[in-house]
Amino acid sequence: MKKEFETFQEFWPFYLQQHSKPATRAWHFVGTSFVFVCICVSLLFMNFWYLLAAPVIAYSFAWISHFFIEGNKPATFGHPFWSLRADFKMFGYTLTGSLDKELEKHQIKRTA
């Protein structure tokens, strides 16, 4: 069943809950990192075909983590644009070391 949200601010805690396991978040971080690698390689070689690899690699890491680690359906299936935005937001929080604080703020229990 698809959950309905009026705003991204309502969606964000749901997104965090769907990523409650550290391993899931780690796989997402690696996948999202490859987006930036693909952009850099594309610019370095001036070959924009490398950009096509970015979503394939990123979603592969993300979906594998949902199916085999988190055990849930990716939020992308029901909310593709908000999920993309939330993934980059989670990536930023991870980079700055403030994701734990954000999880705590939204009362998301960290599961093993």
Side-chain angles (χ1 to χ4, degrees):
M1 176 184 238
K2 181 180 169 184
K3 293 189 181 258
E4 296 298 327
F5 303 96
E6 295 290 322
T7 65
F8 178 77
Q9 288 70 28
E10 290 177 8
F11 175 75
W12 175 239
F14 168 77
Y15 185 86
L16 290 176
Q17 185 61 50
Q18 296 301 297
H19 300 81
S20 64
K21 295 182 179 179
T24 302
R25 295 191 300 271
W27 277 72
H28 274 67
F29 186 84
V30 171
T32 303
S33 296
F34 272 108
V35 169
F36 297 107
V37 170
C38 290
I39 291 169
C40 290
V41 168
S42 178
L43 292 172
L44 180 67
F45 293 107
M46 293 309 290
N47 184 338
F48 297 103
W49 286 103
Y50 289 107
L51 294 177
L52 295 177
V56 173
I57 295 169
Y59 282 120
S60 294
F61 275 88
W63 292 353
I64 286 169
S65 72
H66 281 286
F67 294 127
F68 297 108
I69 297 169
E70 195 75 40
N72 62 15
K73 186 173 82 170
T76 303
F77 294 164
H79 303 78
F81 297 111
W82 280 352
S83 291
L84 181 62
R85 179 178 170 188
D87 187 64
F88 282 107
K89 184 174 182 173
M90 186 170 69
F91 182 84
Y93 277 120
T94 302
L95 266 182
T96 60
S98 56
L99 185 59
D100 284 342
K101 189 181 200 182
E102 188 70 7
L103 292 168
E104 191 175 300
K105 173 183 166 185
H106 293 286
Q107 300 174 356
I108 306 299
K109 295 184 191 239
R110 294 169 207 91
T111 59

